[in-house]
Amino acid sequence: MGLESKAPPWDTPSRGPNKASLSHSPEPGDEGEPGRSGLELEPEEPPGWRELVPLGTLHSLPKSQVKRQEVISELLVTEAAHVRMLRVLHDLFYQPMAEGGFFLLEELQNIFPSLEELIEVHSLFLDRLMKRRQDSGYLIEEIGDVLLAQFDGPEGSWFQKISSRFCSRQSFALEQLKAKQRKEPRFCAFVQEAESQPRCRRLQLKDMIPTEMQRLTKYPLLLQSIGQNTEEPAEREKVEQAAECCREILHHVNQAVRDMEDLLRLKDYQRRLDLSHLKQSSDPMLSEFKNLDITKKKLVHEGPLTWRVTKDKAVEVHVLLLDDLLLLLQRQDDRLLLKSHSRTLTPTPDGKTMLRPVLRLTSAMTREVATDHKAFYVIFTWDQEAHIYELVAQTVSERKNWCTLITETAGSLKVPAPTSRPKHRPSPSSREPLLSSSENGNGGREMPPADGRMERIFTALLPFCRPGPEGQLAAKALQKVLSLKQLLFPLEEDSRTGPPLEGDGVPGGSPLSPAQIQEIREELLNLEETIKHLEEVEEEFCRLRLLLSQLGENTVPQPGCT
């Protein structure tokens, strides 16, 4: 029926299985006896620890030692069960599906990705555990080196990569198999027949696919328990290090699962996305989004909001917060529309009354609406103009969550974020990587800069924290301009409007002609406007200086920057 998968026999030394051995090796418990095939006879589970220990010895051991040995035995027994389950997936489902032509090979590799590699890695781990039991007898003193060999270093990185690939496609696999069963009676009959085999132990295929993810969540708990009951310091340190590696692997796999689920949702949204309104529009703000592909973005958050275009006009939208955009989608049947709305009955030719459904986050900020605790404003600038959107959430907590996520996402586009991911462990150089960056959770996006680079950036910025009077320069300059205006036009501020009359003059100078007066007036107005802009820029600089001073542990307020 199917190709037999490799699993380590109990009485052989530790060595890595290879794919060529998948078709001939017995399952754990088969003892390699002639004529016994894993398809014909259920494998025996390895004995529990208490079955191996003499009763008198058991009662003489400390409770912590008994607990430690029982957890090590549980690790071994459950690993054997996991290897058996992976082999069932391979022998009864994966290979017959390929041979029966139910799927193309490429499709099967997306449903059961890296299955043979997972069998190989878990079988090697089980082989090492069994070898340690054989060498140690019923009392295993050292297990930390075996655990580190599995979960740390290049082997740990390789295990992380293949388990990430398998688990991240779990939802996709279940959907594909379910759809196939609905459409093809022959495939449905095949699955039911395979599930009825004794080796499945009354489990359905949909129950077996999540087995790898379930196993990954079990490792940290087992290793933590082993460490807590280990008294020898060096051994305990090894076990705790291995447990931390397991947690890192689980974190990475969970993130890969989330990223893949987000990608699948974005692909569904992209399929339903209606860009016809954008393609027909001559709005320069929308020109770059006429061929928008959201599958190249990262999904940060999504949910329903009400878009208050005017006091009398509200639109229900499904909002996507991406890594650099905020999209306001309108549902129409199965389609998702990106459609602009005017704040007036008749849009103006310059487009200033239009609110677009795509917002760039590089200049975005959020503000609460004082009169409605569920509402918030999203403000962003384009072409030196501010655009204000009023959005309403269903609850106050949702409004707070939206504001926080939009602010954090916009902020991440402006300030480099320090790395917080677990340390990277390169995969073995002897193996070709199975995943591209987009397949393994990176999505083609840039990784955060390393700590060394961040330190260099901060070192270059910290000199700006020095004290100084710059915060008052713009105000003083503006005051001088006002004084100059009063000197040039002494009566204008009191009783007259317009330029000085003929015969008025500047102290110490000759009378000014009307043309000269007009020229001076224009220059002064321009200067005044420029200095006002300088004042705004200076305020921003002072806020930046305050943040940098806190970063450099210099919290002394700067003059003019309070």
Side-chain angles (χ1 to χ4, degrees), residues 145-169:
D145 57 334
V146 175
L147 301 177
L148 287 174
Q150 172 73 5
F151 301 115
D152 195 17
E155 292 299 325
S157 180
W158 174 245
F159 178 50
Q160 174 178 285
K161 183 178 285 289
I162 59 177
S163 56
S164 293
R165 188 177 194 192
F166 187 88
C167 295
S168 66
R169 285 156 175 79

Side-chain angles (χ1 to χ4, degrees), residues 429-450:
S429 58
S430 60
R431 297 184 173 107
E432 289 294 326
L434 291 178
L435 304 181
S436 65
S437 59
S438 60
E439 289 177 314
N440 202 21
N442 292 332
R445 295 180 292 277
E446 293 182 2
M447 296 298 291

Side-chain angles (χ1 to χ4, degrees), residues 330-348:
Q330 289 180 238
R331 295 183 184 272
Q332 188 175 90
D333 298 327
D334 192 46
R335 294 181 300 157
L336 299 171
L337 276 61
L338 281 171
K339 186 177 180 181
S340 300
H341 291 275
S342 176
R343 290 173 298 196
T344 59
L345 290 176
T346 306
T348 57

Side-chain angles (χ1 to χ4, degrees), residues 49-50 53-63 66:
W49 178 70
R50 285 179 178 266
V53 186
L55 190 59
T57 304
L58 181 63
H59 292 307
S60 67
L61 292 173
K63 288 184 178 180
V66 172

